[in-house]
Amino acid sequence: MNTNDSKTPTDFVRSIVADDLKTNKYDGRVHTRFPPEPNGYLHIGHAKSICLNFGIAAENDGGKCNLRFDDTNPCKEEQEYVDSIQEDVRWLGWSWEDRLYFASDYFEQMYEYAVALITKGKAYVCDLTSEEMSEHRGSLKNGGKASPHRERSVEENLDLFRRMRAGEFPDGSRVLRAKIDMESPNLNMRDPIMYRILHAEHHRTGDDWCIYPMYDWAHGLEDSVEKITHSICTLEFENHRPLYDWFLDELGAYHPRQIEFARLNLTYTIMSKRKLLELVAGDYVGGWSDPRMPTISGLRRRGYSPEAIRNFCKLIGVNKFNSTVDIALLEHCLREDLNKNSPRAMAVLNPLKVVIDNYPEDQVDELEAVNNPEDPAAGTRKVPFSKVLYIEREDFMEDPPKKFFRLAPGREVRLRYAYYVTCTDVVKDENGEVVELHCTYDPATRGGDSPDGRKVKATLHWVSADHCLDAEVRLYNNLFTKENPDDVADEGADFKSNLNPDSLEVLAGCKVEPSLATAEAGGRFQFERQGYFCVDSEDSTPDALVFNRTVALRDTWAKIQKQQQAQKSQKK
RNA sequence: AGGGGAUUAGUGUAACGGUAGCACGAAUGGUUCUGGUCCAUUUAGUCGGGGUUCGAAUCCCUGAUCCCCUGCCA
């Protein structure tokens, strides 16, 4: 079945949207938003949210989705993140058209709304220190107690708040709080802070402001100003919804509906921006776009296609309970897309020299190879064949076990698109290491088929020694050794103790077919019988090719080998 | 005696009182000039206990388990 064509999944969020459309709750409008804080790079978990928000907008007539930066905390946010986020959303294939917004653009409006709330007697300036406020807040089981400043007059509050904005008070000396209910079992309703004083430079507003709005106060207003219909966020904000509703109701402002869904978890992966930042800052990886990172930029550099990621997001569904998706599902979506769309090439990662003894010394055959068996339109190309070749070292065994179908002394195999060859001799060095093979070829099998109908059990990839290009190949494995990287053995250890020391393996001296000379940065290929690879977009040059392994092909031989080894060790 | 949310094969999800289905994974076989792809088959589930009903994953009661909430983060 072609999962790309599978119809749009129905989930509880889409059901709510459909119901609201039916009852004409928002005049038939559907307007969502993706509201990242620009304090890190986007990752595959964000892709789930992006596909949900932009997806819902795209599926409904006239539906819109805004890209909005929730830049209300100047201490953590940077322009670099603003830029990368836009690049990533675009690369994933979505468009916010002309609706690029910043929460910081609404600061003035938010200020006026705050004045309105103060005037209504529903907000007050509080001078408690953060420690005192924490004490006053009470605990999960016990109610809080009122701040001594709770009953300040409207006039005094207005004056104090104006002076907060004017910069008359130092950081942390005062806050503006909503006057709600210090007894509420929901801690978020115990007179939450709306504004704090922060004499910090904001990446967009500079030093225009020294008071900054808190999330709960700001976010609903942002949604309201943009006339969002469905404000989709993650589960941990469920407890904040009463506050979201309270602010908008007290203000009598346009009121979107907040809906919470479960964030994505993936096996062998961390999704916390804080932890990802820790890996980058601590040089555990080569940056946000390291191909081992679950960031969109990392996946892109690794060779993922946007289609694969979008299809993955479609398959995982949307729900209200936490779950952890098997990374194998992501890789399945990847292979499915790459299999259909990547041109094939031959590349020998771990070369073993082969001399075809009965092949003429200076002859070169130009053999025709299929570019993509899944796509006839991709056409064919010529691959040069000559007397000295390289094959994959692991495609030869001197003493092959059962079920090993590849080359061995005296055995005949096919060289893909070329000839049948038979191994006649094995050359070893002083350590007994195989360094060269001698074979004979059957000229009648040119192109790869035997006119007498003779069968071989294996087809090997190869390159011509005189024509091939050298390349570096980077093999990637899971960044963590544990399904759940936070599952740490020792007290005091953290997720970094589960980092996989073999997450990157660099292979030098790989031999690739000459057609790859013109491969463009980021270009994706299937190296036949091995996996999907792409030209590294940062380090590859025409003189020094670098390929990243995006994902290996499924490998049943590896499974058989594992079984055989398991059986062997059982017998012992 | 805090509040909120949730629980369907190994994993992720569907079924909205009417045959528990799909995908991934795993296993087996077939096809194949990639041990890939493709095809076929198999595997395996409603958190427990009560009820309501002709009929319950779905409604009610009850218990268990998991997640979130005491930042001047979002």
Side-chain angles (χ1 to χ4, degrees):
Chain A
M1 194 184 83
N2 186 345
T3 45
N4 286 326
D5 292 343
S6 62
K7 55 178 184 256
T8 307
T10 143
D11 54 65
F12 83 99
V13 180
R14 278 176 243 253
S15 301
I16 290 172
V17 172
D19 285 349
D20 288 345
L21 227 35
K22 207 174 290 172
T23 60
N24 213 33
K25 191 169 169 189
Y26 300 102
D27 308 321
R29 291 185 308 117
V30 174
H31 201 154
T32 56
R33 103 264 96 113
F34 174 62
E37 182 190 10
N39 67 344
Y41 278 57
L42 258 27
H43 54 62
I44 182 78
H46 292 109
K48 177 181 181 180
S49 173
I50 291 167
C51 291
L52 220 210
N53 279 293
F54 282 93
I56 286 175
E59 290 154 21
N60 290 283
D61 283 341
K64 294 185 174 94
C65 181
N66 298 353
L67 174 61
R68 178 173 74 224
F69 288 96
D70 206 0
D71 54 351
T72 56
N73 185 351
C75 307
K76 291 185 178 180
E77 298 155 5
E78 295 172 23
Q79 187 61 38
E80 177 193 353
Y81 300 132
V82 172
D83 296 338
S84 74
I85 287 168
Q86 293 185 59
E87 183 186 3
D88 290 347
V89 174
R90 235 182 260 126
W91 179 76
L92 279 172
W94 303 104
S95 172
W96 54 88
E97 296 169 325
D98 58 349
R99 296 178 310 280
L100 172 65
Y101 299 125
F102 292 83
S104 52
D105 287 341
Y106 309 142
F107 282 172
E108 189 63 45
Q109 262 180 99
M110 289 176 187
Y111 179 85
E112 281 157 23
Y113 268 126
V115 168
L117 213 58
I118 294 170
T119 306
K120 208 182 162 192
K122 296 288 186 164
Y124 62 97
V125 173
C126 180
D127 309 348
L128 255 27
T129 65
S130 64
E131 294 76 34
E132 289 168 332
M133 207 173 295
S134 176
E135 280 167 36
H136 279 72
R137 190 158 29 232
S139 69
L140 292 178
K141 301 208 170 173
N142 301 306
K145 55 178 190 276
S147 158
H149 315 109
R150 200 170 200 260
E151 300 307 331
R152 285 216 251 238
S153 70
V154 169
E155 291 68 30
E156 189 184 1
N157 281 321
L158 251 15
D159 178 58
L160 251 15
F161 186 50
R162 183 186 54 74
R163 292 165 60 195
M164 277 170 66
R165 175 181 183 172
E168 291 186 24
F169 311 119
D171 287 3
S173 60
R174 289 191 158 92
V175 294
L176 182 72
R177 302 176 73 177
K179 193 193 278 190
I180 308 181
D181 178 10
M182 290 306 292
E183 297 291 321
S184 173
N186 182 343
L187 289 285
N188 297 126
M189 301 298 273
R190 318 244 259 231
D191 289 12
I193 296 174
M194 295 163 59
Y195 278 95
R196 74 281 211 186
I197 301 174
L198 240 36
H199 289 267
E201 169 123 353
H202 187 278
H203 65 104
R204 294 192 82 243
T205 61
D207 55 6
D208 288 355
W209 293 87
C210 63
I211 56 171
Y212 289 92
M214 297 287 289
Y215 171 87
D216 286 310
W217 167 243
H219 203 87
L221 292 178
E222 296 158 22
D223 288 339
S224 181
V225 167
E226 294 175 19
K227 291 284 187 290
I228 297 303
T229 57
H230 302 270
S231 175
I232 303 166
C233 62
T234 44
L235 245 34
E236 68 269 27
F237 292 105
E238 212 151 18
N239 294 326
H240 296 244
R241 178 155 27 96
L243 184 50
Y244 182 100
D245 292 338
W246 188 90
F247 279 132
L248 261 17
D249 287 343
E250 288 295 333
L251 260 13
Y254 169 81
H255 194 156
R257 172 169 184 175
Q258 178 178 305
I259 305 167
E260 310 85 12
F261 73 100
R263 60 168 75 234
L264 170 68
N265 298 295
L266 255 190
T267 56
Y268 299 101
T269 309
I270 50 164
M271 220 65 96
S272 143
K273 270 205 237 179
R274 199 207 89 224
K275 289 175 189 162
L276 258 14
L277 174 60
E278 199 177 335
L279 293 181
V280 172
D283 287 327
Y284 294 94
V285 294
W288 286 102
S289 63
D290 186 300
R292 294 166 293 180
M293 293 281 274
T295 50
I296 303 300
S297 55
L299 297 173
R300 176 168 59 233
R301 187 171 168 198
R302 173 86 167 248
Y304 274 72
S305 63
E307 291 77 13
I309 295 172
R310 274 192 264 116
N311 194 232
F312 172 73
C313 290
K314 201 181 278 185
L315 290 185
I316 56 177
V318 180
N319 247 319
K320 287 202 66 128
F321 44 91
N322 298 306
S323 59
T324 303
V325 176
D326 194 333
I327 188 99
L329 183 61
L330 214 209
E331 294 182 343
H332 161 78
C333 294
L334 220 207
R335 291 192 185 100
E336 187 183 46
D337 179 60
L338 263 20
N339 176 50
K340 274 186 301 216
N341 299 311
S342 316
R344 314 285 126 127
M346 291 199 281
V348 175
L349 269 32
N350 191 4
L352 174 60
K353 189 175 171 187
V354 175
V355 179
I356 312 294
D357 289 328
N358 60 338
Y359 194 86
E361 193 75 38
D362 296 317
Q363 186 169 314
V364 178
D365 241 335
E366 292 284 335
L367 299 160
E368 186 163 60
V370 173
N371 284 333
N372 186 349
E374 306 294 321
D375 177 16
T380 61
R381 68 187 184 285
K382 299 285 190 193
V383 186
F385 181 91
S386 62
K387 187 179 180 75
V388 183
L389 313 169
Y390 292 113
I391 65 164
E392 206 67 58
R393 188 164 281 274
E394 61 179 39
D395 282 340
F396 172 80
M397 277 184 116
E398 201 176 10
D399 185 19
K402 246 188 167 161
K403 291 188 181 171
F404 181 87
F405 304 144
R406 281 109 97 143
L407 199 60
R411 191 180 283 180
E412 183 173 54
V413 299
R414 172 169 39 229
L415 294 182
R416 182 140 213 203
Y417 301 124
Y419 297 95
Y420 283 16
V421 296
T422 304
C423 178
T424 53
D425 198 15
V426 180
V427 181
K428 297 181 187 174
D429 64 10
E430 60 275 16
N431 302 320
E433 196 79 21
V434 176
V435 292
E436 185 178 313
L437 260 28
H438 285 262
C439 293
T440 56
Y441 85 115
D442 177 358
T445 58
R446 185 173 194 276
D449 277 308
S450 175
D452 64 7
R454 180 165 101 246
K455 298 284 180 206
V456 288
K457 293 199 86 171
T459 300
L460 270 40
H461 62 277
W462 54 274
V463 293
S464 165
D466 280 345
H467 304 88
C468 67
L469 274 21
D470 276 304
E472 174 181 316
V473 173
R474 298 171 182 174
L475 304 181
Y476 299 102
N477 294 299
N478 291 335
L479 225 203
F480 294 95
T481 55
K482 290 233 176 101
E483 259 194 39
N484 173 10
D486 287 318
D487 175 16
V488 288
D490 315 309
E491 197 77 25
D494 70 2
F495 71 103
K496 296 195 295 303
S497 66
N498 289 324
L499 244 8
N500 181 6
D502 301 319
S503 59
L504 169 62
E505 197 183 333
V506 178
L507 266 31
C510 303
K511 309 288 184 185
V512 305
E513 65 168 73
S515 71
L516 258 9
T518 55
E520 286 174 19
R524 292 187 276 259
F525 299 89
Q526 183 198 99
F527 288 174
E528 297 227 20
R529 304 209 303 132
Q530 316 230 57
Y532 299 95
F533 295 75
C534 73
V535 179
D536 187 81
S537 50
E538 295 188 21
D539 298 337
S540 189
T541 66
D543 297 332
L545 292 169
V546 178
F547 291 93
N548 295 319
R549 183 174 70 191
T550 310
V551 66
L553 248 27
R554 290 185 64 201
D555 188 350
T556 40
W557 167 238
K559 277 182 198 167
I560 293 168
Q561 269 185 313
K562 230 179 226 177
Q563 281 172 5
Q564 287 180 343
Q565 274 165 13
Q567 280 168 5
K568 239 187 238 172
S569 60
Q570 254 185 1
K571 279 176 191 166
K572 283 174 194 171

